[in-house]
Amino acid sequence: METHAFQAETQKLLGLMIHSLYSNKEVFLRELISNASDALDRRRFQALQNPALAAEGELAIELIADRAARTLTIADNGIGMSRADLIEHLGTIARSGTLEFLKRTNEGGEAAPDLIGQFGVGFYASFMVADEVEVVSRRAGEEAATRWISKGAGEYGLEDASRDAAGTTIRLHLKAVDSEAGIADFCDEWVLRQVVRKYSDFVAYPIRLTLIEPAKPAAEDATSEGSDASAAGPGELPTHRSIDAPLNSMKAIWTRPEGEVDAADFDAFYKHITRDPADPMLRVSTSIEGNFEARALLFVPARAPYDLYHRERRHNGVQLYVRRVFIMDECRELLPDWLRFVRGVVDAEDLSLNVSREMLQQDRQIQAIRKHLVKKVVDRLKKLLQDDREAYEKFWVEFGPVVKEGLLDYGEDRERIFDLVLAPSSADETKLVSLAEYVERMPAGQDAIYYLAGPKLDVLRRSPHLEAFREKGIEVLFFVDPVDEVWAGQGPGQYKDKPWKSVGHGEALLGDDDEKAKKKEELEKREADLSNLLQALRSAIQDDVKEVRLSGRLKASAACLVHEEGDLSPALEAMLRQAGQAIPERKPILELNPGHPVLERLSARFEADPADPRIAESARLLFGQAVLAEGGQLDDPSGFAELVNGLMAQTL
Ligand code: ADP
C-alpha cells in the first residue's frame, strides 16, 4: 500500500467533517448517491458514443448494510475512477464550492458546521458518519481497479485491487450510533429507506438494498426490528436479504401532471438536482406542443449562489434530457445568460440522443424551446410581482442585477425585461417601484422616464440634480448596480413608449411647452447678461469643464455637473477605463444656479473688478463641490482643502 498526503484544503475539510457538530449527518448518503447517479449518467452518455463502454447489466445503485460488521456499502456500475482519478478527485478538492465553503467556515467559526448542508461538500461528508472509508473503483474501458482507503486523517492509501466490472464501491466503517450527534443506525432498513426517500427519490436509477443480518440468539429476535426472524437462528451464518423493490420511486417528476405531485416532492427534486439545501422560490412547469415537443420543470432558487457572477460558474443552466434519457448537465443553450440562475430539467422528444454541445447552438428546436422558456419564466415572475410583492422583492434583491444584464443585449426583448425591473425612487425612501407603476403615476405632461444612475444610493438621493424635479413633484428612479450604468449608458431606448432620460444629462427644463419656452428664454437672457462672468469662470477651470452655464435644474444648490446628452456617466467611464478601454476624455458642463446668492455676489464682485483673483478661486470651489456632490473624486483634494480653508479664514 502506498500512502499519499491529502492536499492542505482537503485536510482542513476532513477535520471539519470529523468534528462536525452538524446534526443532519444523514446527508452523507444523499451526497454519495448523487455522486453515484452522476457516474451512471456519465457512463450512459459515454456509451452512446462508444458502445464498448456500456454496462452489461442494469445501471443501478446498490446499498449493502452489514449490521454485524457495521459497514454500509454504496456501489454503482457507473463510469468509475482510475488510479489517477482517485488521486485527483478524492485527494484534492476540485470543486470551487468547497473552497468557498472552507473560506466561510474560517470566517464563521463555531456556527459554521451548518454550512455543510448549504454547500453539499460531497464525498468527504462520509467522514461525518464513518471512521474509515474504503473505495474500490474501476474505470469503464479499463481492466485495472484501485483501492483507496482513509481514516480521514492527513493521508490516504492506494493499492491495486480487483473489481468484476467497471464502477465504484464505497464502504463506510460506521461510527457508533449516537442519536444526540445525529448518527442514526445507518444499517437499519427503515432508516435507510427514509433517508433515500427523503433526499434521493428522483434519482433515475434504482437504489436497491441488501441487508446482512447477524445471526442472533432466538430469544432476541422478537424485539429486534428489521431482522428476518425465520431465517436466522442460533449459531447460523448471517443472512443476506435483498429487498426487491428499489427504495426510490425513480419517477421522472416532470412527466407527471403538476396537480398530481406534492409541492414537497417538487422541492425534493429541486434539491436533488441542484444540491441546494433550501427550497426553491418559484417553480415553472411547462410543456411545448406542436412541431416539436418538450417538457420543462424549472426552478428559481431562493438565494443567489455564491458564484453567480463568476465567469467559470460550475452550476449553470438546466439539465437536458431526451425522451427521459439524461444527456447533459448545465446546458447553457436552453436559457439566456440573464436567466442563468434558473435551474431544472428540459426533456425534448425529438432531439437525437447523440446531440452535442456544438450542435445545440444551431439547433432550431433548441432555439424554439429557449424562446418558450424565457417567455414562461418571465410570465411567472410577472405574476409573482402582481401576487406577492414581498416575495418578488426578495427575488429582485437576489437576481435583479443578473436580469438587468439582459438589457445589454439588443437582441433581447427589452420591454419584457423592463417589466421585471424594480428600482428605488425619489418618491419614497423605503419602497421599490416597478417601471409600470412609475409610468402609471407620471403626472400629465411628463413625457420621459427620469432616472439617475451612480454607484451609491445615498449620493443619488441627495444629488443636486433632483432639486427641480422634486419641486415639480416629478419622480426620479435610481439605479445603483454596476450593470445599470452600462445599459443606461448604451441608450436604454423606451419603455411603454416613454423615452428614458438621465437627470444628469442634457438640459433639464420641466413643465409644459409654454413653461419650458418661457424658462428657456429667461435663462438665455440672464446668460447673456452674465456672459462675461461665465467666460471668466470657465477660463479658470477650462481643463476640467467644457462649459459653464446657468441651470434650469437647481433650486437650493449653487452648482452641479451635467453631461452632454449621450455622454457616458462618470462612473461608467471610470469602469471602462479600468477595463482597459480607451475612452476619449469628455468634460462635463458646470451648471450654476441663477437664483443662488453666490452667483449674485460673484456677479457684483466681477462688476467691481473683473481681475479679482477671488473669481477664479470661486470657479474652482464651485467645480470641486459639484464633483463631490456627485460622489466623485477630486484630482487635487489638498488644493481644494486649501481653498476652503482660505475662505474660512476670511469669513470667520
Ligand atoms: P462533486 O461530486 O461535487 O464533484 P465530490 O467530492 O463528491 O464532489 O466528488 C469528487 C469527484 O469524485 C466527483 O466529481 C467525481 O469525479 C468523483 N467521484 C465521486 N464519487 C464517484 C463515483 N461513485 N463514481 C465515479 N466518480 C466519482
Side-chain angles (χ1 to χ4, degrees):
M1 167 104 43
E2 132 195 342
T3 33
H4 293 243
F6 283 112
Q7 170 210 37
E9 281 87 3
T10 313
Q11 285 193 29
K12 222 153 71 192
L13 183 58
L14 283 163
L16 261 168
M17 289 295 150
I18 290 166
H19 301 114
S20 166
L21 304 170
Y22 183 61
S23 55
N24 219 10
K25 297 200 162 76
E26 64 194 23
V27 298
F28 84 93
L29 192 58
R30 172 191 68 193
E31 302 288 322
L32 295 184
I33 288 175
S34 292
N35 281 350
S37 164
D38 290 350
L40 292 164
D41 282 339
R42 257 176 279 163
R43 181 153 196 194
R44 181 151 73 175
F45 183 62
Q46 292 194 8
L48 291 171
Q49 263 110 28
N50 179 2
L53 294 179
E56 278 192 4
E58 171 198 44
L59 293 175
I61 299 165
E62 199 183 355
L63 307 182
I64 304 157
D66 186 333
R67 209 176 251 290
R70 286 213 52 75
T71 59
L72 175 66
T73 302
I74 296 98
D76 65 69
N77 50 350
I79 193 74
M81 285 175 276
S82 65
R83 192 185 185 92
D85 291 339
L86 281 165
I87 294 172
E88 188 185 326
H89 296 317
L90 304 189
T92 53
I93 296 180
R95 65 160 138 179
S96 48
T98 313
L99 292 176
E100 177 73 8
F101 163 78
L102 286 174
K103 221 177 78 213
R104 295 224 196 156
T105 45
N106 283 346
E107 289 161 7
E110 282 301 295
D114 272 348
L115 286 171
I116 292 171
Q118 224 182 82
F119 279 90
V121 287
F123 171 77
Y124 302 105
S126 333
F127 288 98
M128 293 195 300
V129 299
D131 301 320
E132 186 174 75
V133 178
E134 194 186 331
V135 181
V136 176
S137 195
R138 174 173 156 189
R139 174 130 194 142
E142 292 174 14
E143 289 300 315
T146 310
R147 172 177 290 108
W148 178 104
I149 190 158
S150 177
K151 288 189 161 43
E155 56 192 37
Y156 59 93
L158 280 181
E159 64 186 10
D160 292 340
S162 67
R163 204 180 185 283
D164 286 346
T168 301
T169 304
I170 298 175
R171 182 188 287 156
L172 310 177
H173 295 265
L174 294 170
K175 293 184 180 175
V177 175
D178 179 348
S179 46
E180 221 148 272
I183 304 186
D185 182 359
F186 295 115
C187 284
D188 182 83
E189 173 179 353
W190 299 103
V191 169
L192 292 170
R193 273 186 187 279
Q194 180 237 326
V195 176
V196 169
R197 206 168 311 137
K198 182 159 159 197
Y199 298 107
S200 313
D201 196 47
F202 311 97
V203 169
Y205 306 94
I207 302 169
R208 297 186 199 284
L209 174 62
T210 297
L211 293 149
I212 304 178
E213 306 282 357
K216 286 199 187 94
E220 268 184 35
D221 267 2
T223 52
S224 73
E225 50 179 285
S227 76
D228 193 335
S230 64
E236 285 179 27
L237 290 171
T239 56
H240 284 241
R241 186 159 63 92
S242 294
I243 291 164
D244 287 333
L247 304 188
N248 55 331
S249 74
M250 291 188 287
K251 284 214 179 95
I253 194 169
W254 61 90
T255 61
R256 294 162 58 190
E258 208 181 357
E260 287 175 20
V261 181
D262 280 352
D265 289 343
F266 277 124
D267 289 349
F269 174 71
Y270 164 81
K271 291 173 180 176
H272 168 65
I273 55 169
T274 58
R275 309 205 181 163
D276 177 353
D279 288 337
M281 173 186 312
L282 213 62
R283 182 175 77 237
V284 182
S285 167
T286 175
S287 58
I288 306 171
E289 275 138 35
N291 283 346
F292 0 91
E293 287 183 21
R295 296 189 66 89
L297 178 56
L298 305 179
F299 300 89
V300 175
R303 272 181 318 216
Y306 69 91
D307 62 350
L308 192 54
Y309 299 97
H310 294 189
R311 225 166 233 293
E312 287 309 315
R313 270 168 54 82
R314 176 139 184 244
H315 300 297
N316 212 344
V318 296
Q319 297 182 335
L320 175 65
Y321 281 71
V322 173
R323 293 183 295 281
R324 258 71 61 213
V325 175
F326 174 86
I327 301 297
M328 68 181 77
D329 241 337
E330 301 173 21
C331 182
R332 294 178 192 217
E333 290 74 14
L334 285 167
L335 282 172
D337 229 27
W338 59 274
L339 288 176
R340 63 180 174 275
F341 51 86
V342 173
R343 309 294 304 278
V345 166
V346 173
D347 189 353
E349 290 298 319
D350 315 306
L351 281 177
S352 146
L353 282 175
N354 272 313
V355 67
S356 68
R357 288 207 186 256
E358 295 68 50
M359 285 154 70
L360 285 178
Q361 272 156 18
Q362 279 112 44
D363 194 276
R364 271 182 44 238
Q365 262 195 66
I366 294 285
Q367 296 313 319
I369 294 173
R370 171 176 158 136
K371 220 169 134 196
H372 176 93
L373 297 182
V374 171
K375 182 171 180 323
K376 286 291 164 183
V377 172
V378 169
D379 286 351
R380 184 69 192 81
L381 287 169
K382 269 165 79 172
K383 191 162 169 347
L384 184 71
L385 174 58
Q386 272 167 19
D387 299 348
D388 187 347
R389 178 67 169 231
E390 202 181 320
Y392 187 81
E393 291 196 3
K394 278 195 190 130
F395 159 78
W396 189 251
V397 168
E398 293 291 324
F399 300 111
V402 179
V403 168
K404 285 186 286 189
E405 285 176 20
L407 296 170
L408 305 179
D409 182 349
Y410 287 111
E412 290 290 348
D413 183 349
R414 293 177 152 215
E415 186 95 0
R416 200 156 53 184
I417 299 174
F418 279 140
D419 280 340
L420 299 177
V421 169
L422 294 184
S425 93
S426 59
D428 188 325
E429 296 251 328
T430 57
K431 289 204 185 98
L432 297 174
V433 194
S434 78
L435 300 187
E437 285 160 354
Y438 178 93
V439 170
E440 185 127 314
R441 62 192 192 206
M442 275 171 38
Q446 182 184 338
D447 48 12
I449 300 172
Y450 288 105
Y451 72 95
L452 191 56
K456 286 207 185 110
L457 185 57
D458 46 349
V459 172
L460 298 185
R461 282 200 189 282
R462 289 196 299 260
S463 166
H465 292 132
L466 299 178
E467 289 167 5
F469 291 84
R470 282 237 167 78
E471 195 194 59
K472 278 267 166 209
I474 293 176
E475 184 174 7
V476 176
L477 296 171
F478 300 125
F479 288 103
V480 291
D481 293 320
V483 63
D484 293 327
E485 306 246 7
V486 189
W487 63 261
Q490 277 181 352
Q494 304 207 328
Y495 176 69
K496 290 198 193 285
D497 300 325
K498 308 283 182 211
W500 288 84
K501 246 179 144 170
S502 160
V503 304
H505 284 73
E507 284 185 34
L509 291 168
L510 301 173
D512 58 30
D513 290 347
D514 273 0
E515 257 180 295
K516 277 190 212 166
K518 226 174 102 207
K519 258 202 207 137
K520 199 171 166 87
E521 202 182 314
E522 254 171 52
L523 273 179
E524 278 169 0
K525 199 169 154 294
R526 291 226 44 205
E527 238 163 17
D529 293 346
L530 296 172
S531 73
N532 289 340
L533 170 64
L534 295 176
Q535 272 294 337
L537 292 169
R538 192 191 146 220
S539 33
I541 47 174
Q542 59 187 353
D543 288 345
D544 297 311
V545 301
K546 75 174 135 202
E547 191 186 338
V548 176
R549 71 183 182 203
L550 295 184
S551 181
R553 67 186 98 213
L554 294 175
K555 296 293 153 193
S557 304
C560 71
L561 293 178
V562 302
H563 307 273
E564 208 88 81
E565 206 92 60
D567 274 2
L568 302 176
S569 74
L572 178 58
E573 258 191 50
M575 242 159 59
L576 295 176
R577 281 220 180 82
Q578 232 171 22
Q581 293 204 30
I583 305 292
E585 181 96 44
R586 264 179 286 208
K587 293 179 196 162
I589 297 159
L590 181 68
E591 280 196 359
L592 302 177
N593 181 351
H596 200 280
V598 161
L599 201 68
E600 265 167 50
R601 304 293 288 272
L602 261 177
S603 159
R605 183 70 62 194
F606 187 72
E607 300 262 295
D609 176 11
D612 188 327
R614 274 172 291 185
I615 303 289
E617 278 177 12
S618 302
R620 295 214 300 280
L621 277 163
L622 287 166
F623 173 74
Q625 50 149 297
V627 169
L628 293 175
E630 260 194 350
Q633 287 190 343
L634 296 170
D635 287 340
D636 177 17
S638 54
F640 185 73
E642 230 168 80
L643 274 175
V644 173
N645 291 339
L647 200 67
M648 280 169 73
Q650 277 173 41
T651 55
L652 285 172

